[in-house]
Amino acid sequence: MDGPCKFKDMKRSVLCLTVIVFLLSACEKSGVEKPQLYAKYRAVEVKSDTPIDLNFDGQANTDLTKEIDGLEKIALYFDRTNGYTDIIWMEPQLNDGLLYDPLPIEYNGIDNIKYQPVKNLFTYVLQSNGTVLLSRTNVIATRHYTFSHPQRISIDQRTGNLYFEASQQFLTEKDGIVTVGIQAEYQPEKEYIPEY
């Protein structure tokens, strides 16, 4: 009779252990919310780490939307189907010439600089900690990009807003070409269906 009792006790132990493991894994999963990405985000705030005068009005600002026309309309898109994110960003266009031409070393007082929206495509990986890692996909060797893209984007779990830090080269009247740090915040457009 020792054999059947031992088998029954072992079976009961395995069943108890299975239930405990299942309950623990259920508790773990319920405490971690997966970050949510939406298909489209609009810029809420774009700031530089130092005041800069890009529209040559004599007023330096850290709020770059006051310096670059159209910057407040930039957007960021996620395409889960193809695994891409697209950051629309403003690149300088000198004297209505070609985009991506290198900037002159100094401002001559008559150059007309306009900023044009440009697509920046990246592959992305969404991590469980609310970070999106980026890898550029469309670098073209003959283009001179002034925008140095972010390596990662952070998601605020509470608001759903996205944050990143990057840098960009600008032509200034006083200092010629300068590189400034940029902090950007984007807000999801809720009418779009979430990607995840």
Side-chain angles (χ1 to χ4, degrees):
M1 287 231 175
D2 242 353
C5 284
K6 257 188 180 178
F7 180 72
K8 207 180 223 184
D9 287 341
M10 186 188 286
K11 192 174 175 184
R12 193 174 299 147
S13 295
V14 169
L15 182 61
C16 284
L17 184 61
T18 303
V19 169
I20 289 171
V21 168
F22 175 75
L23 290 174
L24 287 175
S25 67
C27 290
E28 261 181 45
K29 289 178 186 171
S30 66
V32 177
E33 287 186 37
K34 187 172 185 175
Q36 189 173 26
L37 288 176
Y38 289 83
K40 183 178 182 184
Y41 291 80
R42 281 272 173 215
V44 177
E45 186 174 72
V46 182
K47 293 195 173 226
S48 64
D49 59 0
T50 56
I52 191 166
D53 180 16
L54 299 175
N55 57 9
F56 308 109
D57 66 355
Q59 298 291 318
N61 289 289
T62 57
D63 181 352
L64 292 180
T65 62
K66 294 179 179 177
E67 295 295 324
I68 301 174
D69 286 337
L71 189 63
E72 71 282 353
K73 296 177 185 173
I74 60 173
L76 190 150
Y77 301 90
F78 283 98
D79 177 354
R80 192 180 90 196
T81 304
N82 296 307
Y84 290 104
T85 186
D86 185 5
I87 299 175
I88 307 298
W89 201 260
M90 304 301 274
E91 285 284 345
Q93 181 182 29
L94 193 64
N95 300 320
D96 294 322
L98 296 173
L99 279 169
Y100 310 112
D101 278 347
L103 293 171
I105 294 171
E106 58 185 39
Y107 181 66
N108 65 13
I110 58 173
D111 283 331
N112 179 21
I113 300 175
K114 296 178 186 170
Y115 288 85
Q116 303 295 340
V118 172
K119 289 172 118 344
N120 290 273
L121 287 176
F122 305 91
T123 58
Y124 73 91
V125 175
L126 176 61
Q127 297 185 320
S128 61
N129 67 355
T131 301
V132 179
L133 299 179
L134 302 176
S135 295
R136 189 183 271 285
T137 61
N138 67 336
V139 173
I140 299 172
T142 57
R143 293 183 175 176
H144 176 79
Y145 291 91
T146 61
F147 177 62
S148 293
H149 69 85
Q151 301 297 312
R152 63 181 45 85
I153 298 173
S154 299
I155 304 170
D156 183 322
Q157 299 289 357
R158 191 176 43 79
T159 64
N161 287 4
L162 303 179
Y163 299 87
F164 69 72
E165 292 183 359
S167 64
Q168 187 164 3
Q169 290 182 328
F170 293 107
L171 181 60
T172 65
E173 187 172 21
K174 181 180 159 194
D175 299 316
I177 296 175
V178 297
T179 301
V180 298
I182 294 172
Q183 300 85 38
E185 177 182 357
Y186 289 78
Q187 184 176 50
E189 293 207 348
K190 300 288 186 180
E191 66 268 13
Y192 281 83
I193 298 170
E195 288 289 330
Y196 289 99

